[in-house]
Amino acid sequence: MSKTFDHGYALLIGVGACDYTKWSLPATVKDAEAVRRILLDPNLCAYPKDHLRLLADKSASRGGILEGLQWLKTCAEKDPQATVVVFYCGHGWVDNTSGRDDLIPSDTSR
């Protein structure tokens, strides 16, 4: 029986298909899936399957991402030894007026 990394939790986000189609990046989903495979691999990271959430395409919406972050926060609060990973693959945006950096979810229409 192999050991698992019982205190590891991860939210993996690949914003492939975007409502603003010019910003769609299909390869981002493949990247997030590759990270998932690595984290689940019993010879590498050995995360339990239920300790990972993968958001891709439409599920990588603003609401989906916020819900995923809340899930991750809840996991960390319940496990004082928790290690959390957030992996985001997609577009970002810098608002030159405010200097604010934003991640672009799939339901961005521009």
Side-chain angles (χ1 to χ4, degrees):
M1 186 140 98
S2 63
K3 289 185 103 178
T4 58
F5 181 43
D6 293 329
H7 301 290
Y9 303 88
L11 177 63
L12 312 173
I13 305 162
V15 184
C18 196
D19 286 354
Y20 183 60
T21 57
K22 289 183 179 182
W23 286 354
S24 291
L25 294 168
T28 64
V29 174
K30 292 178 183 175
D31 291 345
E33 289 169 342
V35 171
R36 182 179 185 274
R37 283 191 301 276
I38 290 167
L39 293 176
L40 288 174
D41 188 317
N43 296 310
L44 298 173
C45 300
Y47 277 59
K49 190 174 185 176
D50 64 338
H51 287 207
L52 297 175
R53 287 225 178 146
L54 173 65
L55 304 178
D57 296 321
K58 292 294 180 187
S59 66
S61 65
R62 181 181 189 277
I65 293 169
L66 291 174
E67 184 180 305
L69 290 169
Q70 183 60 49
W71 166 80
L72 199 58
K73 178 181 181 238
T74 300
C75 291
E77 288 173 343
K78 289 179 181 178
D79 182 353
Q81 296 178 18
T83 298
V84 299
V85 172
V86 176
F87 175 85
Y88 174 87
C89 196
H91 281 294
W93 181 267
V94 177
D95 182 332
N96 291 326
T97 305
S98 67
R100 186 174 130 174
D101 298 320
D102 294 311
L103 301 178
I104 304 297
S106 66
D107 55 349
T108 297
S109 60
R110 187 163 179 221

